[in-house]
Amino acid sequence: MWTPAARAELSRESLPYATCLRDAEWGIVAPLLPTPASTGRPWRWPLRSILDGILYVLRTGCAWRHLPLDFPPWSTVHRWFLRLSQEGLFERLAHALTIADRERAGREASPTGAILDAQAARSGGVGVAGERGYDPAKRVVGSKRHALTDTDGRLLVAAVSPANLHDSHGGIALLRASRGVWPFLAHCFADRAYQGERLASATAITVEIVQPEEGQKGFAVQPRRWVIERTFGWISRCRRLARDHEATASSALAFFIFAAAMILVRRLARSL
């Protein structure tokens, strides 16, 4: 609940930009980031400024070339984003933060239950590079974000594909990928798009289909599944993800995972 005390505690007016990391948040992220090598040319820009620049693009949705001059050069920030994405740092960051937040909440580090769903993202417009597809169910031309979260909404595994890929095919890939990073997953909740023997037999994880109530029309909150819909809602506050502007699936996935990780960073920082 927003109270005057809560607003004062979470105020970011003292920062150059509201998207910048506070000291407590940087203290959580810094140990998980790469450090300068003992040999070679020293880094010209501090990694904190680089990360603040990436966060500005993610939260505001601006183009890389429109990055304010208070940050390092846009080409430097973009190059670092590509480097961190290719090294898988955003995935490792989200994995470590998920474990830390589960332990903070008094839960086991590795979850046993999960929720599976997908979100379609419209293409950024004519001239946007990258592979796109058409999802006839939602009438969207663009890409599709497949996500697997725990029962509290923390992102576990994610993937990005053209929008014409059926949800069940993306679900199979996520369940198989989860076996390496979350080996104790045993049960998964999903909607009717994931029903069928093919998904049910893809892994040892049992898939429970959450059916809508008989005679239901329009929107209704469904048991368990509302958690992942809430996660999509939180992540969609980042304007870079409002549409699919990326030329590669790896960049789209990196932004999606980084947005989910920043939710946990801020949550953990508030508990300090």
Side-chain angles (χ1 to χ4, degrees), residues 18 26-27 43 48 67 69 71 73 79 90 106 115 155 164 179 201 210 214 221 232 259:
W26 173 247
W43 291 352
R48 182 171 181 175
L67 197 65
L69 298 180
F71 297 105
R79 184 172 64 251
F90 297 119
I115 308 168
L155 186 66
N164 58 346
R179 307 310 294 155
S201 60
V210 180
E214 186 177 355
V221 176
F232 281 136

Side-chain angles (χ1 to χ4, degrees), residues 103-221:
E103 292 177 340
R104 177 197 61 81
R107 309 196 66 177
E108 294 291 336
S110 183
T112 57
I115 308 168
L116 181 63
D117 204 355
Q119 178 190 51
R122 294 184 184 276
S123 173
V126 178
V128 176
E131 185 179 359
R132 301 292 187 268
Y134 176 67
D135 182 1
K138 298 182 180 178
R139 300 179 182 178
V140 168
V141 176
S143 64
K144 187 174 290 185
R145 302 165 186 147
H146 307 271
L148 186 71
T149 70
D150 68 4
T151 52
D152 286 336
R154 304 175 188 87
L155 186 66
L156 302 179
V157 187
V160 172
S161 71
N164 58 346
L165 184 73
H166 194 270
D167 291 3
S168 61
H169 294 278
I172 291 173
L174 289 190
L175 291 180
R176 289 175 175 170
S178 70
R179 307 310 294 155
V181 289
W182 306 105
F184 297 107
L185 276 181
H187 195 78
C188 177
F189 300 92
D191 62 15
R192 289 181 296 179
Y194 297 94
Q195 62 187 356
E197 183 61 28
R198 183 173 183 179
L199 181 69
S201 60
T203 64
I205 301 173
T206 58
V207 179
E208 179 180 340
I209 304 301
V210 180
Q211 298 286 355
E213 295 183 3
E214 186 177 355
Q216 174 185 320
K217 293 183 180 180
F219 173 79
V221 176

Side-chain angles (χ1 to χ4, degrees), residues 41-47 49-50 72-73 76 79-80:
R41 188 175 66 179
W43 291 352
R44 182 177 178 184
W45 300 98
L47 199 53
S49 297
I50 299 291
T76 301
R79 184 172 64 251
W80 266 100

